[in-house]
Amino acid sequence: MSESGALSRRSFVKVGVVAGAGLTLGVAWRLTRDPGLPTSDSTWVPNAYLRIDEDGSITVLVPRSEMGQGVSTALPQLVAEELDVPWDAVSFEFAQAHDAYGMMVTGGSTSVRESWEPLRRAGATAREMLRRAGANRWGVDVADVSTGNAAVIAPDGSTASYGALAAEAARLDVPDEVALKEPADYRLIGTSVPRLDVEAKSTGRAIFGIDAGPPDTRVAVVERSPVFGGVVRSLRADAALALPGVDEIVELESGVAVVANGYVAANAGRDALEIEWDEGDGANLDDATIADRLRSAVRNGRTVRDDGDVDAVLAGAEAPIRAEYRLPYLAHATMEPMNCTAWVRDGRCTVWTGTQFQNAPAIVGGGARQVAAAAAGVPADATEVHTTFLGGGFGRRSERDFVREAAELAGKIQGPVKVVWSREDDMRHDFYRPASYHELTAVLGEDGRPAAWDHRTASQSIMERLVPGWVPGPARNLVGKRDSTSTEGASDQPYESPNVRLTYAKVDLPIPVGFWRSVGHTHTGFVVESFIDELAHAAGEDPYEYRRALLSAHPRHVGVLDAVAEASAWGSTPPEGRGRGIAVVRSFGSYVAQVAEVSIRDGQPRVHQVWCAVDCGTVLNPAIVRAQMESGIVYGLTAALFGEINIEGGRVVQSNFHDYRMLRMNEAPRIDVVLAPSGDAPGGVGEPGTPPIAPAVANAVYALTGERIRTLPIRLGSPAGTAGSLS
Amino acid sequence: MTTLTINGEPRDISAPNSSPLLWALREELGLTGTKFGCGIGQCGACTVLLDGAPVRSCQVPVGSAQGTTVTTIEGVAGAGELHPIQQAWIEEQVPQCGYCQSGQIISALALLDERAAPTDDDIDRAMSGNVCRCGAYQAIRRAIHRAVAIRSERIASDEPDQGEGDG
Ligand code: FES
Ligand code: FES
C-alpha cells in the first residue's frame, strides 16, 4: 500500500522477565503509512517478539498473516541470521491481535520490507545480551566471547547454550547499539531455508479459519441480499426452523443467519427461508450501464500527472495513436471461502479467523479486533483475535465484513458460532477489483519516440470506502492529489517522454471494490505495457529494444528486461505457431519483467512458457521468491484468460468455479524464474509477479496474430480466422 | 447410521444418508484436513480415497459410503514415517497457503497407485481436477516426480529385510 518510513534506532523493549521464562524481546517497527494518512500516537509500538526459553527453544512471534507468501518463514529467518542459530532450532507462532501491536496488517507486500531491519536487529540484540551473560558467568571480557550453534562460546572453548543463559541475559539492560552483519557474512539470508509451515500443510494438520474454534461450535450460514445494498423487507422462517438441526434464525445487518448443528443443516435451513428483499436502486445496474458510466466520466478526470504540454503536441499532430482499454471486475476467489468463528460471553468476545488485518485505528475503520468488538457490543480490550493460517488472502482477507458479521451474530446468541460462506456467497459478496476504462493517445516524434503520452482512466476508488475523506475534495483536485490505488503504475509509468499526462476520474457505483493482488497495477500494468507495445510496433521497433531505449533513467527496469531477454533468447525465432510478448512492471518496490510464449488453440491463447526476471533488491529466500513469482503469474494469467465478474440486475452473474474459471494443472505454463537482485533493500514479492503477465500474453498474441488485445479477459475476435491463419 | 472404515479404523456416522461425506468427516469426525472449496465437485479440495479411488467427498452422500474404506489426508502417513508423497511435498516446498494441498496429495496418491512413474501428461490428467489458487502447479509436478524417486529409494533400502515396500 505504501513504502515504509524510516526506522528508529530505538527498536527494542525488553518485554519483561517472567521468572524462569527466559529472554523475551519486543521489536518495534514503524507503521506503513501513506503520506495522506494522519499520524497517530501509536506509531512506535512493540510489534513482534522473539522468545528464548530456558529449554533452548527459540520462537519468533509473527504478527503478520501467513497466506502462502512465506512470511512465517521469512520473518524468523531474519531473526535467526543475527541471533546466530541453526535454522532447525527456530519455530514460530502467530501473534494474537493486541493493542500493543498497533496496526497489524498484511498487505502491500510489506512484511519483509518493514521487518528487514528491526527483526535482524532483534536477533543481534538478543545475541549480544547472551554474549554478555556468558562473559559475566565466566568472568571474561565480552569481546572474547563468541557464539555458534545456539550457544555462547568462552575463550577456552567451553560453551553454554542460549537456553541456559536466557534467564541471566534477561536481567541485563538492552544494549542501545548492536552491529549488524555485513551481507558477505550471511549464512541464512539469501538461502532457501525450508519453510516452517510445509509439514503441517502436507499432513492436514495446519489449522485454517474453517477448522478453528472451541468444541461444540455451532455453524451458521447467512443469506445476503442478492443485490448490493438491498435490505430485508419481509422474512418467514417457520419452514426453516422446522428442519432438523436448525436452531435459530437471526437477522443481521448483512442478511439473515441460520444457526444449526452443522453446515449441511444450516444450508437446508437457508434454502427454506422465505425472504423478500427491498433491492433498492442497485437493481438497475448492469454491465452496459457500468461501462457507460466509466466511459462518459473518463474525459472529466482530474489531472494526476502533467509533464510538459501534452495538448500542444496533440493539437499539432497529424496521426495520433489512440486506443481504448477495458478491464472487468474480478473476484479474489481465495481457495478457502470466507469464514469466521466468534464467541461472546461475560462481556468478552473471542474471534478465530484468517485475517490480513487484525488491528487498526478507527481512522481506517478498525481492524478485525475493533470491528468485532463494536459488532459484539464489547470493548476492544475485551476482544481477542486468534489468527489461523489463511487459505489464500490476495487482499480479500484485509476486509472485515466476515468478522463483523460473525461477531454480531455471536453477540445475539449463546455459545460459539462459525459463519461459513459457501463458494457462491464468497464469489457474490466480494470486494472486487474495480472495473476500469482507459483512453490513451500518443504522438510519436520523427525518431519514433513518444513525443506525447496521454492517459485518461476512470474507475471506482478503493480507498474512498476505506478512508472516507481520503480522496481530496474538488478544490484540492487542482493540486493534483492522486488516488494512488487507482493510478499507481500509470502516474509513475517510466517511459521517457517530454509530455506525459494522466487524468483520473473517480466514478461512484454501488459495487463493493477492494484490494486485489497488486491492486492498481493489475489494470495500469496491462494498459501501460500494452500501449507501449503498440507504440513500439507503430515505430517499427522491437518491443524489447524500444522499451529499453526509453528507460535509460531506470536501470533496474533495464536490468530485469535484459535478464528476461537473455533467459528467453528474445530475438530468436519462436517455435512454429508460437509468438512471444514482453512486459516489465515495477510494483511494491520490486521490478519484474516477463516474456510469455503462446500459441492459439481452439481460438484462444494457450500459454506454454513464461520467463520471469525479478529484481527484489535483496533476496531473502530464493525458493520463496521463485514460488511467489510462479504464484503471481498463475494468478494474473487466470485473470487474463478467464477472469470476469459480470453484473446483471444489480447481481453478480458468476457463482462458482464452473463459471469463474481457475487455471488448472493442464493449462499451467512452464515458468522459469531468474533472480536478478540489484542488492538494494528488499522489495515485495507477494504481488509484483502478477502485473506483467497479462500484457506479456496479450503482446504475444499480437506478435502471433496481429490482433491487439485491449479488453480483458482475452477473447480473440475471430477465432476461426485467427486459428486458420496459423495452420 | 453409516458404518465405514476410515484411515484403518471402523467409524460410525450419524449424519443423514444424503449428507455429503465431506461435512461428516469434518464436523462429525473432526477430520478437518479434508477441505471445503466449492461444494460442486469443481476444485478437488475435498478429495479422499474411497475404496482406493479418488472421489470428491462433497459429492459423495454419506449413505453411499456404507461399508467402504476411506483414506483422508490424516491417514496418508505410515506409522512414524511420512508417505513418500508427503516427503516429496516437503522437499519440494510445495504448499503455499496450503489449503488445496490435502486434496492434491490424495490425488497424487491415487495417481502413483495407478502409474509407478507417471509422465507429465499423466500428471496433467490426474491432477487437473485439483485447483491450486496459489499456482503451485509447477512445484506439484516436481514433487510427484520426486515422490517416485523417494519411493524407489525406500523400496531399495527395505529390500534386504522385507522384500517389498508399502507403495
Ligand atoms: S469442495 Fe468438493 S470439489 Fe470442491
Ligand atoms: S497452496 Fe494455496 S490453493 Fe494451493
Side-chain angles (χ1 to χ4, degrees):
Chain A
M1 300 177 195
S2 75
E3 307 294 327
S4 62
L7 293 159
S8 159
R9 289 262 182 76
R10 282 190 59 251
S11 297
F12 295 89
V13 284
K14 191 162 64 180
V15 166
V17 188
V18 186
L23 174 63
T24 303
L25 276 183
V27 184
W29 65 61
R30 190 171 169 82
L31 292 182
T32 312
R33 55 178 62 254
D34 243 296
L37 271 178
T39 52
S40 82
D41 300 337
S42 58
T43 303
W44 296 103
V45 287
N47 212 333
Y49 293 114
L50 160 63
R51 197 175 67 223
I52 301 173
D53 292 325
E54 291 193 312
D55 66 3
S57 57
I58 295 162
T59 309
V60 176
L61 267 78
V62 174
R64 299 298 181 114
S65 303
E66 178 59 81
M67 46 195 178
Q69 85 282 32
V71 71
S72 60
T73 300
L75 267 43
Q77 194 175 353
L78 293 170
V79 175
E81 175 70 65
E82 294 286 348
L83 187 57
D84 199 20
V85 290
W87 182 240
D88 57 14
V90 181
S91 63
F92 80 95
E93 289 171 14
F94 293 122
Q96 205 193 95
H98 190 271
D99 265 351
Y101 294 106
M103 188 102 134
M104 273 175 88
V105 61
T106 310
S109 299
T110 54
S111 296
V112 167
R113 289 192 277 167
E114 293 184 356
S115 316
W116 172 245
E117 165 109 9
L119 285 196
R120 283 184 303 142
R121 206 167 276 287
T125 302
R127 174 174 174 270
E128 178 62 22
M129 292 167 77
L130 290 159
R131 282 176 69 216
R132 290 181 188 180
N136 292 348
R137 183 186 278 193
W138 295 314
V140 299
D141 189 350
V142 68
D144 298 327
V145 171
S146 60
T147 56
N149 207 19
V152 177
I153 305 168
D156 67 3
S158 54
T159 63
S161 73
Y162 281 1
L165 287 170
E168 283 165 65
R171 284 191 283 272
L172 302 175
D173 289 337
V174 179
D176 288 337
E177 286 288 338
V178 288
L180 296 181
K181 285 183 179 175
E182 291 300 320
D185 298 328
Y186 291 157
R187 294 169 307 111
L188 296 176
I189 290 175
T191 70
S192 299
V193 295
R195 291 176 64 131
L196 297 177
D197 57 350
V198 293
E199 180 161 345
K201 290 176 175 178
S202 302
T203 51
R205 284 191 294 105
I207 299 296
F208 295 85
I210 202 167
D211 311 320
D216 301 322
T217 296
R218 290 187 293 169
V219 174
V221 297
V222 178
E223 177 74 5
R224 303 170 189 86
S225 170
V227 172
F228 297 114
V231 292
V232 175
R233 182 183 290 153
S234 73
L235 163 69
R236 289 199 51 182
D238 342 1
L241 281 168
L243 292 172
V246 174
D247 295 341
E248 298 179 62
I249 309 292
V250 183
E251 267 198 69
L252 302 174
E253 219 173 286
S254 62
V256 179
V258 180
V259 184
N261 64 4
Y263 181 75
V264 178
N267 262 333
R270 172 189 183 162
D271 289 344
L273 289 175
E274 295 163 68
I275 305 178
E276 223 185 297
W277 295 98
D278 181 350
E279 297 183 342
D281 299 344
N284 301 321
L285 207 62
D286 56 27
D287 283 348
T289 335
I290 294 168
D292 267 4
R293 292 280 307 279
L294 295 173
R295 192 160 196 272
S296 57
V298 82
R299 293 251 143 200
N300 305 320
R302 53 206 160 76
T303 304
V304 177
R305 175 175 173 185
D306 199 5
D307 303 351
D309 189 345
V310 169
D311 283 329
V313 182
L314 292 183
E318 274 178 20
I321 300 165
R322 291 187 193 282
E324 299 170 12
Y325 286 83
R326 294 178 174 81
L327 291 96
Y329 292 105
L330 293 173
H332 295 83
T334 57
M335 202 72 223
E336 177 192 14
M338 295 303 107
N339 58 77
C340 180
T341 300
W343 188 4
V344 178
R345 80 270 188 224
D346 309 331
R348 301 190 62 79
C349 175
T350 313
V351 170
W352 295 261
T353 195
T355 170
Q356 290 176 247
F357 202 172
Q358 289 86 348
N359 225 50
I363 180 71
V364 290
R369 183 159 160 268
Q370 289 76 15
V371 162
V378 305
D381 58 17
T383 302
E384 288 174 8
V385 175
H386 298 276
T387 304
T388 60
F389 281 116
L390 280 61
F394 315 123
R396 177 62 180 90
R397 286 191 158 90
S398 66
E399 303 295 345
R400 288 129 294 173
D401 57 324
F402 55 99
V403 177
R404 179 182 296 113
E405 188 180 65
E408 183 192 350
L409 176 59
K412 292 181 170 174
I413 65 175
Q414 295 296 314
V417 63
K418 176 180 298 176
V419 178
V420 177
W421 296 44
S422 67
R423 174 59 60 193
E424 290 79 5
D425 294 334
D426 188 270
M427 196 157 291
R428 291 183 162 165
H429 300 278
D430 198 348
F431 292 82
Y432 304 89
R433 193 283 304 270
S436 62
Y437 175 77
H438 306 253
E439 261 183 35
L440 285 101
T441 311
V443 176
L444 299 188
E446 306 249 299
D447 56 1
R449 291 164 158 253
W453 170 293
D454 192 22
H455 182 171
R456 298 175 178 276
T457 171
S459 67
Q460 288 172 256
S461 166
I462 298 170
M463 272 307 191
E464 188 174 53
R465 170 178 60 87
L466 284 174
V467 187
W470 174 266
V471 176
R476 277 180 293 166
N477 287 353
L478 295 172
V479 300
K481 274 277 202 168
R482 59 191 192 136
D483 185 291
S484 61
T485 53
S486 301
T487 61
E488 58 190 356
S491 58
D492 54 349
Q493 70 87 351
Y495 296 107
E496 202 176 305
S497 173
N499 305 291
V500 178
R501 180 169 60 195
L502 173 72
T503 68
Y504 170 62
K506 179 174 75 66
V507 177
D508 295 328
L509 290 164
I511 312 294
V513 294
F515 300 99
W516 190 98
R517 195 175 195 172
S518 81
V519 199
H521 296 282
T522 60
H523 49 95
T524 60
F526 175 67
V527 172
V528 168
E529 284 300 302
S530 295
F531 195 58
I532 196 73
D533 216 72
E534 295 201 42
L535 301 190
H537 286 282
E541 301 217 23
D542 174 85
Y544 156 61
E545 298 290 353
Y546 188 73
R547 282 177 174 79
R548 210 176 178 286
L550 296 175
L551 290 168
S552 54
H554 298 276
R556 295 181 70 185
H557 283 83
V558 172
V560 289
L561 270 178
D562 287 353
V564 84
E566 191 189 328
S568 63
W570 183 265
S572 65
T573 311
E576 180 65 25
R578 296 193 185 180
R580 290 187 193 136
I582 192 166
V584 58
V585 177
R586 173 198 183 274
S587 64
F588 309 97
S590 291
Y591 300 72
V592 179
Q594 292 168 4
V595 168
E597 186 173 289
V598 310
S599 68
I600 308 296
R601 193 182 292 178
D602 302 328
Q604 280 301 306
R606 166 152 191 118
V607 182
H608 299 271
Q609 166 89 46
V610 176
W611 293 269
C612 171
V614 51
D615 169 9
C616 56
T618 296
V619 176
L620 172 54
N621 186 312
I624 289 178
V625 175
R626 285 176 201 282
Q628 281 306 298
M629 290 302 120
E630 292 176 17
S631 175
I633 288 166
V634 170
Y635 202 80
L637 184 55
T638 304
L641 296 179
F642 313 123
E644 181 168 33
I645 287 291
N646 301 112
I647 307 293
E648 238 176 67
R651 296 156 162 79
V652 168
V653 173
Q654 286 75 13
S655 61
N656 205 319
F657 293 138
H658 65 289
D659 55 9
Y660 192 76
R661 284 259 278 118
M662 298 288 114
L663 197 82
R664 291 170 182 274
M665 172 71 93
N666 58 327
E667 301 160 321
R670 190 193 141 117
I671 299 169
D672 285 343
V673 178
V674 179
L675 305 181
S678 59
D680 292 9
V685 297
E687 296 170 276
T690 299
I693 188 61
V697 170
N699 294 339
V701 168
Y702 180 81
L704 182 62
T705 68
E707 181 170 350
R708 180 56 71 182
I709 305 298
R710 299 194 185 92
T711 300
L712 292 182
I714 298 173
R715 297 213 173 93
L716 295 184
S718 147
T722 315
S725 70
L726 294 166
S727 54
Chain B
M1 184 74 74
T2 304
T3 303
L4 65 174
T5 303
I6 300 182
N7 300 332
E9 285 179 32
R11 303 294 295 258
D12 293 331
I13 293 176
S14 64
N17 281 347
S18 61
S19 243
L21 178 62
L22 167 65
W23 294 101
L25 291 172
R26 290 182 51 82
E27 295 182 343
E28 195 176 330
L29 304 181
L31 296 170
T32 56
T34 304
K35 296 297 192 250
F36 165 62
C38 69
I40 61 166
Q42 285 278 322
C43 76
C46 65
T47 308
V48 300
L49 292 185
L50 187 95
D51 289 336
V55 296
R56 313 294 178 220
S57 64
C58 71
Q59 300 298 299
V60 176
V62 162
S64 75
Q66 170 65 36
T68 60
T69 296
V70 169
T71 304
T72 70
I73 185 68
E74 289 89 351
V76 170
E81 188 177 48
L82 292 176
H83 189 279
I85 294 175
Q86 293 173 310
Q87 187 64 36
W89 244 244
I90 292 167
E91 288 176 16
E92 291 293 345
Q93 301 273 293
V94 173
Q96 293 195 21
C97 85
Y99 194 76
C100 72
Q101 297 299 344
S102 299
Q104 304 278 4
I105 287 171
I106 296 284
S107 289
L109 190 64
L111 168 63
L112 292 192
D113 279 348
E114 197 182 297
R115 292 236 189 291
T119 63
D120 280 353
D121 281 349
D122 294 333
I123 293 174
D124 278 356
R125 258 191 304 276
M127 303 300 292
S128 58
N130 289 81
V131 169
C132 177
R133 185 59 164 148
C134 298
Y137 296 122
Q138 193 153 284
I140 291 169
R141 188 186 296 283
R142 277 199 316 265
I144 291 174
H145 290 306
R146 185 184 279 245
V148 171
I150 294 173
R151 188 169 59 176
S152 36
E153 282 163 25
R154 284 197 193 169
I155 291 171
S157 65
D158 281 354
E159 222 136 55
D161 307 333
Q162 300 172 6
E164 210 186 329
D166 65 356

